[in-house]
Amino acid sequence: MKRLLKIVSALLLAALVCSVAAPAVFASEAGATTATTAPTTAAAQTKLELKALSSVGSNQKNYLCSPNYSNSTDNYSFNVPDWMPSLTVKITGPSGLSCSSSSVSFSESNGVYSGTFELKEKTQSFSVKFSSNSGQSRTLNITVRRSTIECFFDKVILRLGDNEIAPKSGSVNDGLVYELASGTKSCEFRLTPRHENEVFFENTTVRADGTRVVDAANAKEKQTLEYYRYTIKPDLIEGTNTFVATITAGSVTKTCNITVIVGDPNANSAAGTTTTSAISSIPPVSGQQTVTDYGCSINGTTMTLTNASTGVTQTYYRSDGTAADSIYGTWSASDGSGTMVFYADNTCLVNGTSCGYTLNGTALRIESFTMTSPSEDTGTVLPTTTQAKQSGGLLGGMSPLMWVLIGIIITVVLGACIFMIVNMSSGGSKNRMPEDDYYDEPLYRDSRRGRNLADFAGDDYGDYDDYDRGYGGRNRPYQGRQRNVSFDEYDDDDYYGRY
């Protein structure tokens, strides 16, 4: 029995020792864990987390940082084109932070901290420090590098309404060709270039007569960025339309040729060529034909004409300033003596006079007509054509405009006479308003007509109700509005509330 009591006592003592030692062991382990994790928590409390880092160039395009932003990295760099004059760095984080920089002034708007600065050096560096009211802080080190970055067209999209039209052939580098249905009057281009400084768009479409749809002086327009792209909406003509998109970046220039064919591609093509062309048929005119031959040399914007009979040479310049080896277009004499306009249908204007022309290689022949014997050639390069005035008589020398005016006057007088004759022959039956087809009553005739002076003296002119009767006279008084329609009736959610 004593032995059993000793065993029980020993077990109780052991249990007592374990109950006392266990909390101490657990406390030491917990203390060890707290000791190892406490520094990490303290570090997390001082690390300020931001959301994004980017930059916007002077071309309003975004440039991304390298490496990609993360809260574990504090050193970043930006690569921008060497032509760029300024850059705006944007840092997104919590609102209300204290922001300071070594060389750039930052301002906040809804948690976005922006700083704009000039780019003067090939490499520029600065730091930005953020601090919060809770004691967290963060410093970003930023480097901006300027280098030669090639500009290019990333996307060229043509749209008709809500539909995007795929090109028939070509590429941005080789030129794009689109085909649209006949009758299409306009379209929309969306250009998305990269690393560009300026964007220009020019309509170079030529009509069948050799003239440009848009004058060269106004055809090339600088475009404005809109939603990170450039949107152009040119007008189209039937046939082949041509456009040139140009981007510049410093000393680098890139172009993209765009062709839009509406219906038949030859609808506005030239009727002949500039090397071998036959003169088109000229309406017969009574009189004598004048033919002047020239030696013709065209070099870009300059044309030199040498009169074959006199040897006199004169220089002409293309008015639109467009360099081409074609004769089509408007040419002005270097001494201001006159102009020549050549069209693709082998007709031309010489000082405003219609003529025909043939160009075979360097031989240019201009044919005109005169009503009388032509004047002697004075040796000037421009063939003068005058339309002789009719001599003698009262109307001698009258211009065609006067003949047109006289014709209009005669037509008006004859029409008035016919109208009066018809009304007189039909009596008073025609004295009816258009509404008489629906009313059997004649128009109201004022009973005051045919009265003497005493009758008028007894009239009460203070009562103007008699005059408020509209088109129908007293027999058809003015009915007023059938409904009292107010604007509130149109404020119906079922119809207008959706727009």
Side-chain angles (χ1 to χ4, degrees), residues 173-315:
N173 295 328
D174 302 330
L176 296 166
V177 179
Y178 296 89
E179 291 184 354
L180 303 179
S182 176
T184 305
K185 299 298 183 181
S186 63
C187 64
E188 177 182 294
F189 287 107
R190 294 183 178 181
L191 310 179
T192 307
R194 298 296 182 188
H195 309 300
E196 81 285 0
N197 184 15
E198 294 179 329
V199 175
F200 297 88
F201 192 84
E202 182 177 7
N203 188 340
T204 58
T205 307
V206 179
R207 299 187 185 92
D209 60 3
T211 62
R212 292 179 58 153
V213 170
V214 182
D215 182 77
N218 303 316
K220 191 173 183 178
E221 296 183 351
K222 182 179 177 180
Q223 304 299 314
T224 302
L225 186 68
E226 181 181 1
Y227 300 112
Y228 299 100
R229 64 170 180 260
Y230 300 82
T231 302
I232 305 101
K233 299 179 180 179
D235 294 329
L236 302 174
I237 65 172
E238 199 74 13
T240 301
N241 299 262
T242 56
F243 308 95
V244 178
T246 305
I247 54 177
T248 63
S251 59
V252 180
T253 300
K254 293 291 181 66
T255 60
C256 177
N257 297 311
I258 304 172
T259 301
V260 179
I261 299 174
V262 179
D264 181 7
N266 297 318
N268 63 330
S269 62
T273 62
T274 59
T275 54
T276 303
S277 60
I279 198 166
S280 59
S281 59
I282 300 177
V285 179
S286 59
Q288 186 171 351
Q289 183 179 11
T290 300
V291 179
T292 306
D293 292 321
Y294 301 92
C296 177
S297 175
I298 300 175
N299 183 14
T301 60
T302 304
M303 177 173 66
T304 303
L305 295 182
T306 302
N307 192 304
S309 61
T310 64
V312 176
T313 298
Q314 182 126 1
T315 302

Side-chain angles (χ1 to χ4, degrees), residues 319-385:
S319 298
D320 59 12
T322 303
D325 294 331
S326 169
I327 197 173
Y328 302 151
T330 302
W331 301 83
S332 299
S334 58
D335 60 359
S337 59
T339 60
M340 289 185 175
V341 184
F342 293 92
Y343 302 103
D345 60 355
N346 299 109
T347 60
C348 62
L349 295 177
V350 179
N351 288 340
T353 302
S354 297
C355 304
Y357 76 93
T358 304
L359 179 62
N360 292 318
T362 60
L364 174 65
R365 167 170 291 187
I366 296 179
E367 301 186 35
S368 60
F369 293 89
T370 56
M371 298 298 294
T372 59
S373 298
S375 59
E376 294 183 0
D377 192 350
T378 60
T380 58
V381 67
L382 292 177
T384 58
T385 304

